[in-house]
Amino acid sequence: MAELTQDRATEVMTVNIGPHHPATHGVLRLIVDLEGEVVKDLKPVIGYVHTGIEKSCEDKSYWKVIPFVERMDYVSYFFQMEAYCGAVERLVGLEIPPRAKYLRTIFLELNRIHSHLVWLGTTALDLGAISMLWYCFRERDRILDLFEMAAGQRMHTRYFQVGGVIEDIPLGFEKKLREFIADMPVRVGQYQALLDRNEVFLSRTKGVGIVSRERLLELGVTGPLLRAAGEPWDLRKAFDYLAYPEVDFQIPVGTVGDNYDRYRVRVAEMVESTKIVEQALDLMEEGPFIADDRKYVLPPRSELSTSMESLIHHFKLVTEGFRVEPGEVYYSIESPRGELGCFVLADGSSKPSRVHFRDPSFVNLQAFKDMAVGSYIADMIASLGMLDPILGGVDR
Amino acid sequence: MLPFADTQFVEATWIMIVKSLVIFAIVFGILPILTVVERKLIGRFQHRYGPNRVGPFGILQPLADVGKLISKESFRPANAVSTLFILGPLLPVLSGVLALAIIPWGNVQDGVGLYGIDVPIGILYFFAVGSIAFYGMLLGGWSSGSKYSLLGAMRSAAQLISYEVSMGLALLGVIMMSGSLSLVDVVEAQGTIWFVIPQFVGFLIFMLAGFAETNRTPFDMPEADAELVQGFMTEYGGMRFGSFLLVEYMEILVVSGIAAAMFLGGWMGPGPGWLDPIWMLAKMFVLVFVFIWVRATLPRLRYDQLMSLGWKVLLPLATLNVLVTAVLVVTT
């Protein structure tokens, strides 16, 4: 009998997946115990893209931190910017003008669509539907074109600034954006036609990777994963920030909490996001796009040659930056992956004493074991895709 | 009752040799074009151009690919079993080339049969040599000394037993209707009506099983790149990897050829006799297009789902098809 159990034990094969593997979404390493093809145990190993961003932030003046935090979760950079800029604004008590609110809302939601498109393309690729990647990236490129138009950069735009946004949207932007949001629901319908009515896709996702709502809440999981399990928790509704209280949108929730629900929730969110963008665009009026507080915001370039005051402010802001009274703040927003929080501790100097991000990918990754243990290795890869972790955000 | 195809057409030995060389040369001329066609088509399906840099319309791309693969190091992991590791890619090539021999490109014309061989066991030969390919995958995967390869090899074994029976049963209906195992006789029997119409269920089952035979999406589990890197060929590099790839295309051609001969009337078509091989090729390319189209569209099944599909759906369906055909053949 003892020998038999010994034999059973040797049937377990430990496979190392990653950190470089075609399917891990970023440099994630998985140590998987397999019995046949069934996952018996699983250990995610992280830290392969740890770059010490949070520590580096302590050495930069407040507004030079913005490009750093963008590079944490490199797919949802606008959200990192908003979490950080919003936290600093709350720390110094800076109110942003209405136009900036709408602009930020528009870009956040565009970024949400962009992030979900990347997710859909890569996850479908994991399931073997190779063409979805190109269809999704076609629309993603249109979003990146819009980002480029407004900010000059396609990724890591550094568009948000403490006090508002760095520049107003250019002429022709609105037309292009309206064309995009008119097209997007049609495109989403096409994706659904390819996947939702596909027997192979349904059999690969339905009933796979189920984690109960209670367990997800215990683990602190947020975002589409939690909503797919039936918990309608969305910070855009729960908290009052930016223009979200003024626009009308719905929170898609799933019922079972399997991979299919996760897929459906995210796809529905894309459509809801286009609605938010459209409403914000309608509600937005002409006006200043950045607060008029010379202590924190650069003066307009035209004033520099005429006003001594402005020149001094400009010089102070660019060299030393602004000082922040001692204090601390935590500000959290709904990123495409869940609750993205930013903690900033100020010590009175012009550099933050501590910047810390509560990254949703990091917290959500805890649920991976619950999703994958007991399933086939193919489903484990699919579940990892549906979890949608961005390793840049996990490791920071 | 069943008349066996007893006397075969006998040719001079030199004709046989020339014939096999010509078929070999033509098919190995088509294979590289097939890779470009696939990449071009998939490019179009995915809103991009596909290869268009090497040669006009990218037609020379396979030459560049092969040149690259040949010049690469034939890497072998330290813990691989060397002889089996080398044998791995050879067996599928052998199986593919052998299977090519029975594809009928036309009937006897001017004293030359437009096919490699016309064996009286025809389709059994196809199954016999076709299954050898899986030994190559199994051996190659097992001897690589890699866990991914081992899993891929295990999957290909599971896949083989799941679909091969249904594939055979799917063709049984055609064989009963034509009364011969020889592919030439089967094509000749389709003078009035192509078997795809009375044997539509059989055709579907055969094509589904054909996707599994060729390791193509949605049944590309042995080489599922998302979970097993490249499955049984993970550790292969250079032209050994290239020959695994080559075999995939050869198998597509063979399966399309068998399907065209068994269900789509083979070389039958309007026009003079010399058009026959062209007709055959055209029908094969229609089926090849389906293979490529499906690859660009469908996700991959899980390997236990393929097994349950093979055993619980395809096998009963194929059996039922055989039963109904048998009753109809006997009564009419």
mmCIF file of all heavy atoms in Angstrom, chain B residues 63-81:
data_model
loop_
_atom_site.group_PDB
_atom_site.id
_atom_site.type_symbol
_atom_site.label_atom_id
_atom_site.label_comp_id
_atom_site.label_asym_id
_atom_site.label_seq_id
_atom_site.Cartn_x
_atom_site.Cartn_y
_atom_site.Cartn_z
ATOM 1 N N LEU B 63 11.302 29.750 -50.106
ATOM 2 C CA LEU B 63 12.731 29.529 -50.347
ATOM 3 C C LEU B 63 13.549 30.184 -49.248
ATOM 4 O O LEU B 63 14.480 29.585 -48.699
ATOM 5 C CB LEU B 63 13.127 30.109 -51.700
ATOM 6 C CG LEU B 63 12.863 29.239 -52.924
ATOM 7 C CD1 LEU B 63 13.332 29.949 -54.156
ATOM 8 C CD2 LEU B 63 13.574 27.910 -52.764
ATOM 9 N N ALA B 64 13.172 31.412 -48.915
ATOM 10 C CA ALA B 64 13.883 32.115 -47.850
ATOM 11 C C ALA B 64 13.732 31.367 -46.535
ATOM 12 O O ALA B 64 14.690 31.203 -45.777
ATOM 13 C CB ALA B 64 13.352 33.534 -47.727
ATOM 14 N N ASP B 65 12.510 30.881 -46.274
ATOM 15 C CA ASP B 65 12.267 30.159 -45.020
ATOM 16 C C ASP B 65 13.116 28.904 -44.940
ATOM 17 O O ASP B 65 13.763 28.633 -43.929
ATOM 18 C CB ASP B 65 10.779 29.775 -44.910
ATOM 19 C CG ASP B 65 9.914 30.987 -44.665
ATOM 20 O OD1 ASP B 65 10.481 32.033 -44.306
ATOM 21 O OD2 ASP B 65 8.690 30.882 -44.838
ATOM 22 N N VAL B 66 13.083 28.127 -46.035
ATOM 23 C CA VAL B 66 13.831 26.874 -46.021
ATOM 24 C C VAL B 66 15.330 27.165 -45.902
ATOM 25 O O VAL B 66 16.050 26.495 -45.157
ATOM 26 C CB VAL B 66 13.504 26.049 -47.285
ATOM 27 C CG1 VAL B 66 14.484 24.907 -47.433
ATOM 28 C CG2 VAL B 66 12.095 25.507 -47.201
ATOM 29 N N GLY B 67 15.789 28.175 -46.630
ATOM 30 C CA GLY B 67 17.198 28.545 -46.525
ATOM 31 C C GLY B 67 17.581 28.878 -45.105
ATOM 32 O O GLY B 67 18.631 28.449 -44.602
ATOM 33 N N LYS B 68 16.711 29.599 -44.436
ATOM 34 C CA LYS B 68 16.978 29.937 -43.042
ATOM 35 C C LYS B 68 17.002 28.680 -42.180
ATOM 36 O O LYS B 68 17.911 28.487 -41.374
ATOM 37 C CB LYS B 68 15.912 30.902 -42.533
ATOM 38 C CG LYS B 68 16.208 31.424 -41.165
ATOM 39 C CD LYS B 68 14.976 31.994 -40.509
ATOM 40 C CE LYS B 68 14.117 30.903 -39.928
ATOM 41 N NZ LYS B 68 13.044 31.405 -39.079
ATOM 42 N N LEU B 69 16.001 27.818 -42.362
ATOM 43 C CA LEU B 69 15.900 26.628 -41.503
ATOM 44 C C LEU B 69 17.103 25.706 -41.712
ATOM 45 O O LEU B 69 17.623 25.131 -40.752
ATOM 46 C CB LEU B 69 14.600 25.872 -41.803
ATOM 47 C CG LEU B 69 13.347 26.508 -41.226
ATOM 48 C CD1 LEU B 69 12.109 25.799 -41.743
ATOM 49 C CD2 LEU B 69 13.368 26.462 -39.709
ATOM 50 N N ILE B 70 17.524 25.552 -42.971
ATOM 51 C CA ILE B 70 18.643 24.636 -43.243
ATOM 52 C C ILE B 70 19.928 25.166 -42.622
ATOM 53 O O ILE B 70 20.725 24.415 -42.060
ATOM 54 C CB ILE B 70 18.807 24.438 -44.769
ATOM 55 C CG1 ILE B 70 17.695 23.525 -45.279
ATOM 56 C CG2 ILE B 70 20.158 23.826 -45.095
ATOM 57 C CD1 ILE B 70 17.721 23.305 -46.758
ATOM 58 N N SER B 71 20.111 26.480 -42.683
ATOM 59 C CA SER B 71 21.372 27.030 -42.183
ATOM 60 C C SER B 71 21.407 27.080 -40.664
ATOM 61 O O SER B 71 22.408 27.500 -40.088
ATOM 62 C CB SER B 71 21.582 28.423 -42.761
ATOM 63 O OG SER B 71 20.524 29.256 -42.377
ATOM 64 N N LYS B 72 20.329 26.679 -40.011
ATOM 65 C CA LYS B 72 20.322 26.738 -38.546
ATOM 66 C C LYS B 72 20.961 25.500 -37.941
ATOM 67 O O LYS B 72 21.019 24.441 -38.571
ATOM 68 C CB LYS B 72 18.886 26.870 -38.042
ATOM 69 C CG LYS B 72 18.372 28.272 -38.176
ATOM 70 C CD LYS B 72 17.237 28.492 -37.226
ATOM 71 C CE LYS B 72 16.992 29.974 -37.064
ATOM 72 N NZ LYS B 72 16.039 30.247 -36.014
ATOM 73 N N GLU B 73 21.379 25.652 -36.696
ATOM 74 C CA GLU B 73 21.976 24.525 -36.010
ATOM 75 C C GLU B 73 20.910 23.476 -35.711
ATOM 76 O O GLU B 73 19.804 23.814 -35.287
ATOM 77 C CB GLU B 73 22.591 25.019 -34.695
ATOM 78 C CG GLU B 73 23.247 23.931 -33.890
ATOM 79 C CD GLU B 73 23.487 24.368 -32.452
ATOM 80 O OE1 GLU B 73 23.222 25.552 -32.151
ATOM 81 O OE2 GLU B 73 23.911 23.535 -31.664
ATOM 82 N N SER B 74 21.236 22.201 -35.951
ATOM 83 C CA SER B 74 20.306 21.135 -35.602
ATOM 84 C C SER B 74 20.470 20.825 -34.123
ATOM 85 O O SER B 74 21.163 19.893 -33.738
ATOM 86 C CB SER B 74 20.570 19.888 -36.443
ATOM 87 O OG SER B 74 20.090 20.085 -37.732
ATOM 88 N N PHE B 75 19.820 21.621 -33.325
ATOM 89 C CA PHE B 75 20.007 21.527 -31.890
ATOM 90 C C PHE B 75 19.333 20.276 -31.331
ATOM 91 O O PHE B 75 18.266 19.882 -31.791
ATOM 92 C CB PHE B 75 19.414 22.771 -31.231
ATOM 93 C CG PHE B 75 19.441 22.733 -29.749
ATOM 94 C CD1 PHE B 75 20.619 22.992 -29.072
ATOM 95 C CD2 PHE B 75 18.304 22.431 -29.025
ATOM 96 C CE1 PHE B 75 20.648 22.958 -27.698
ATOM 97 C CE2 PHE B 75 18.340 22.391 -27.652
ATOM 98 C CZ PHE B 75 19.507 22.657 -26.993
ATOM 99 N N ARG B 76 20.006 19.662 -30.361
ATOM 100 C CA ARG B 76 19.401 18.515 -29.699
ATOM 101 C C ARG B 76 19.642 18.661 -28.203
ATOM 102 O O ARG B 76 20.788 18.871 -27.783
ATOM 103 C CB ARG B 76 20.029 17.223 -30.213
ATOM 104 C CG ARG B 76 19.451 15.970 -29.604
ATOM 105 C CD ARG B 76 19.966 14.739 -30.325
ATOM 106 N NE ARG B 76 21.413 14.564 -30.156
ATOM 107 C CZ ARG B 76 21.970 13.994 -29.095
ATOM 108 N NH1 ARG B 76 21.221 13.559 -28.113
ATOM 109 N NH2 ARG B 76 23.276 13.857 -29.017
ATOM 110 N N PRO B 77 18.577 18.575 -27.380
ATOM 111 C CA PRO B 77 18.781 18.712 -25.935
ATOM 112 C C PRO B 77 19.686 17.605 -25.410
ATOM 113 O O PRO B 77 19.730 16.501 -25.964
ATOM 114 C CB PRO B 77 17.368 18.574 -25.354
ATOM 115 C CG PRO B 77 16.454 18.792 -26.486
ATOM 116 C CD PRO B 77 17.170 18.387 -27.715
ATOM 117 N N ALA B 78 20.398 17.881 -24.313
ATOM 118 C CA ALA B 78 21.371 16.928 -23.791
ATOM 119 C C ALA B 78 20.712 15.621 -23.374
ATOM 120 O O ALA B 78 21.292 14.548 -23.529
ATOM 121 C CB ALA B 78 22.106 17.549 -22.606
ATOM 122 N N ASN B 79 19.489 15.695 -22.842
ATOM 123 C CA ASN B 79 18.869 14.464 -22.344
ATOM 124 C C ASN B 79 17.917 13.839 -23.362
ATOM 125 O O ASN B 79 17.061 13.038 -23.018
ATOM 126 C CB ASN B 79 18.137 14.725 -21.026
ATOM 127 C CG ASN B 79 17.119 15.827 -21.163
ATOM 128 O OD1 ASN B 79 17.136 16.554 -22.147
ATOM 129 N ND2 ASN B 79 16.242 15.947 -20.193
ATOM 130 N N ALA B 80 18.058 14.207 -24.622
ATOM 131 C CA ALA B 80 17.221 13.590 -25.650
ATOM 132 C C ALA B 80 17.814 12.244 -26.052
ATOM 133 O O ALA B 80 19.017 12.028 -25.957
ATOM 134 C CB ALA B 80 17.131 14.496 -26.875
ATOM 135 N N VAL B 81 16.931 11.350 -26.513
ATOM 136 C CA VAL B 81 17.394 10.052 -27.007
ATOM 137 C C VAL B 81 17.755 10.242 -28.476
ATOM 138 O O VAL B 81 16.882 10.428 -29.318
ATOM 139 C CB VAL B 81 16.287 8.991 -26.860
ATOM 140 C CG1 VAL B 81 16.812 7.632 -27.266
ATOM 141 C CG2 VAL B 81 15.770 8.966 -25.442
#
